[in-house]
Amino acid sequence: AFLVSNHRCGRHNSSLWSPAALRATSTLDDPNIQHINQLLMDKKQELLHDPSKLNEHSPLSIVPEDNDLRDTFVSTEQRVYETLLSSRLDLPFLNRAIVGPSKIEGGGRGLFATEDIKEGDVITCYPGDALLCELPSTDEGGEDDSFDFEDDENEAVNEVVLWGTHVPKGHRWDDDTVFDGSKSKPPLTSYGVTMNDVYSVMGHPSLDDNPAYIGHFSNDGAGHLAYEMPDSPRNIEASLELGLDTESSDFGVEDNIAAYVLKSFDVANAMHQPLDADEFHMVTVAIRDITKGEEILVTYGPDYWISDYAGHIADAEEDS
């Protein structure tokens, strides 16, 4: 799972982390991408011309007040976008991976290729079973004012969780569980990835039987390094492999992060990215050739592990 970031603990930045370094090659030649795009365009037109269908399939919060508030500023075009982003299309042709026990230490379930996959090809979609949407706030304006999501002067002050209509009501978590998890569930944000400045998509861990929408089960192949001290044997080994000077007196936490980032880049064979400029869907794409049976690995980035580690520390202090 690729963490959006722990919104209740604040955002963390690292100059070492550059997602562009893993940009996949063009997917334009992949017929599956073209097929998905066509299905999305067809559904977009259908929703724009049939308000009743749009109302039926638009994602909603489990908090009625959130839906009432959003009704005051969300346009029809924005609702169409949210509906496409949160939908699971019928994609029987996208059957290239399966969920199984991960080979990564502490990885739980992982994602595995069921056929040879070429660099640049889509492996699966990253589902928007739930959307994390920033609620805007403006200094002026009434209920009839529309909100421009592209206007940077509009500052987001809150976030709302919108559930796709395909998710059974019994599987829709309350906001506390989405952000903080429970004794039996990790936070849903740990199954999420940022789409843009307004939306993040989150895949539900219970929805694992559709090979076209299982991108949220891909693991980070170097995540185990992030939890260890800089001088741990495995971090030293990884640092030496990457040419870092482990004998330096300055070798410390930043070097630990560098070792993780470089190792994660080194073993990753896929990445999550928007389908295209319209950003109607997130997909998991091969960044190199992948052989049948190989585990699909992405890089989460240091933000994930910093937030996750902070959560572990907070839980430990609360239990003590």
Side-chain angles (χ1 to χ4, degrees), residues 43 110 115 120 138 195 199 218-219 227 229-230 269 315:
K43 185 165 185 176
E115 61 182 52
T138 55
M195 174 63 84
Y199 294 99
S218 53
N219 279 317
Y227 277 141
M229 296 300 292
N269 55 22
D315 290 343

Side-chain angles (χ1 to χ4, degrees), residues 11-83:
R11 297 181 185 271
H12 301 271
N13 295 309
S14 171
S15 59
L16 294 167
W17 173 232
S18 176
L22 284 181
R23 178 59 57 186
T25 55
S26 173
T27 60
L28 296 179
D29 293 333
D30 184 354
N32 287 333
I33 289 289
Q34 299 171 24
H35 196 167
I36 296 170
N37 259 323
Q38 187 59 56
L39 290 172
L40 285 167
M41 292 302 102
D42 291 346
K43 185 165 185 176
K44 176 183 177 181
Q45 292 305 314
E46 180 183 25
L47 294 171
L48 285 172
H49 291 91
D50 190 340
S52 63
K53 184 158 290 188
L54 178 59
N55 288 333
E56 179 184 354
H57 294 286
S58 292
L60 294 172
S61 168
I62 64 171
V63 182
E65 292 79 8
D66 286 344
N67 296 320
D68 293 341
L69 173 61
R70 283 167 39 79
D71 283 342
T72 65
F73 61 81
V74 177
S75 66
T76 297
E77 290 74 16
Q78 202 68 32
R79 289 198 182 281
V80 169
Y81 174 80
E82 292 174 351
T83 302

Side-chain angles (χ1 to χ4, degrees), residues 1-7 11-12 126 132 159 179 188-196 199-202 300 303-304 307:
F2 187 91
L3 185 70
V4 175
S5 73
N6 190 328
H7 295 261
R11 297 181 185 271
H12 301 271
Y126 200 108
L132 189 62
E159 292 162 328
F179 287 102
L188 193 64
T189 52
S190 66
Y191 287 91
V193 60
T194 300
M195 174 63 84
N196 51 45
Y199 294 99
S200 299
V201 292
M202 298 182 287
Y300 293 178
D303 289 358
Y304 175 96
S307 294

Side-chain angles (χ1 to χ4, degrees), residues 9 25 41 83 145 147 167 182 185 202 208 230 268:
C9 293
T25 55
M41 292 302 102
T83 302
D145 291 340
F147 178 78
V167 180
S182 65
K185 301 173 182 175
M202 298 182 287
D208 59 2

Side-chain angles (χ1 to χ4, degrees), residues 100-113:
S102 176
K103 298 177 182 178
I104 303 301
E105 179 181 342
R109 289 180 292 175
L111 193 61
F112 295 85

Side-chain angles (χ1 to χ4, degrees), residues 250-263:
D250 296 329
F251 187 80
V253 174
E254 290 189 0
D255 299 277
N256 188 28
I257 296 174
Y260 153 70
V261 170
L262 294 174
K263 187 68 174 178

